[in-house]
Amino acid sequence: MNPIALVTGAGGGIGRVTAIRLSRAGYRVALTARDPDRLERAAAECPGPTLVLPVDLTAPGAVESVFADTEDEWGTVGVLVLGAGTATSSPVTRITDEEWRRQLDVNLTAPFRCVRRAVPGMRAAGHGRIVAVASVAAKRGDPYVTAYSAAKHGLLGMVRSVAAELAGTGITVNAVCPGYVDTPMTEESVANIAARTGKTPDEARRLLAGKQPIGRLITPEEVAAAVQFCIDSPGVTGQGLNIDGGAVQS
């Protein structure tokens, strides 16, 4: 029987490409995100069996619902890819409590709840792979992204601690840390920069591309390949892999 993967944030960007890649690799893939139409389109691109689970993972009971539905349909989740995320940009003095909470809820608390729910089944099976999509913002401080950076630093810290706790159980826990990726989230950053600075969208996009030494945006496929590497590498755990064209060397 094909192994089971659950991918959050699977409606677009990195999550969508990762879900399709895992399906092509022979996984049964449960896809979850808020937008059912985008999920259905992503599932239609997967060659193998899929389960579409539209839900807001920050809602009460949502994580339990997603796991229970997957288990009822197929069984224990063996691979968990935490691809859901959101980003905002504001000077620190203008970050509202609501914006701060939203960044932590989506980028840190919901992933934690997913990990907490996934681990017992993986431990019972003696095998599991957890990969969180973090960011180079988990490893450095950039201006105007205080809330996002705090959440992603927390996500990487969680990955490292859980990996240490589960070492020797057959479960690995890693993060991938992309730079600016050619996704709708980056397009939102482009729009914000253009609105704030008066630059054209093309100028703003070139500005972000230039933050990678390779001089271009990272592709979602490159990040998905790093996710696959983490899944396929039993000796790699507790790591934050940079996929940023050399911007952060560690």
Side-chain angles (χ1 to χ4, degrees):
M1 188 66 71
N2 292 357
I4 300 163
L6 170 61
V7 181
T8 76
I14 294 166
R16 170 185 158 277
V17 172
T18 300
I20 295 168
R21 183 186 182 99
L22 292 178
S23 181
R24 289 172 178 163
Y27 286 83
R28 290 173 285 171
V29 182
L31 302 89
T32 186
R34 289 178 296 170
D35 189 325
D37 292 336
R38 294 178 68 187
L39 277 180
E40 291 287 356
R41 289 194 293 270
E45 296 185 68
C46 294
T50 59
L51 189 61
V52 172
L53 302 168
V55 69
D56 179 352
L57 287 175
T58 66
V63 168
E64 175 59 33
S65 173
V66 164
F67 275 86
D69 288 349
T70 304
E71 291 165 350
D72 288 346
E73 186 73 20
W74 289 333
T76 300
V77 172
V79 170
L80 172 63
V81 179
L82 301 164
T86 187
T88 58
S89 175
S90 300
V92 64
T93 54
R94 297 182 187 174
I95 298 172
T96 65
D97 286 354
E98 181 180 357
E99 181 182 348
W100 179 264
R101 282 194 301 269
R102 180 65 177 167
Q103 288 299 305
L104 294 181
D105 286 348
V106 174
N107 294 319
L108 181 56
T109 302
F112 159 71
R113 289 172 177 162
C114 288
V115 170
R116 182 176 62 185
R117 180 60 174 79
V119 165
M122 291 180 177
R123 191 191 288 271
H127 182 275
R129 298 288 183 265
I130 298 171
V131 187
V133 179
S135 167
V136 291
K139 295 189 172 184
R140 69 184 186 199
D142 285 330
Y144 306 114
V145 289
T146 298
Y148 177 75
S149 183
K152 291 297 188 178
H153 271 74
L155 181 62
L156 183 56
M158 180 191 73
V159 162
R160 289 168 167 165
S161 289
V162 176
E165 183 175 332
L166 298 179
T169 66
I171 304 168
T172 66
V173 189
N174 291 288
V176 294
C177 299
Y180 286 98
V181 185
D182 192 5
T183 64
M185 184 182 293
T186 296
E187 286 305 307
E188 292 178 13
S189 298
V190 166
N192 288 337
I193 292 170
R196 190 171 63 241
T197 66
K199 295 180 183 294
T200 68
D202 284 345
E203 288 171 337
R205 193 174 292 104
R206 285 195 295 272
L207 176 68
L208 297 183
K211 290 181 178 293
Q212 278 90 216
I214 58 175
R216 62 169 176 81
L217 298 177
I218 305 302
T219 69
E221 289 76 13
E222 288 169 327
V223 183
V227 172
Q228 184 80 65
F229 168 79
C230 292
I231 293 169
D232 293 342
S233 304
V236 177
T237 193
Q239 303 304 309
L241 275 66
N242 300 337
I243 310 95
D244 63 353
V248 176
Q249 297 182 351
S250 65

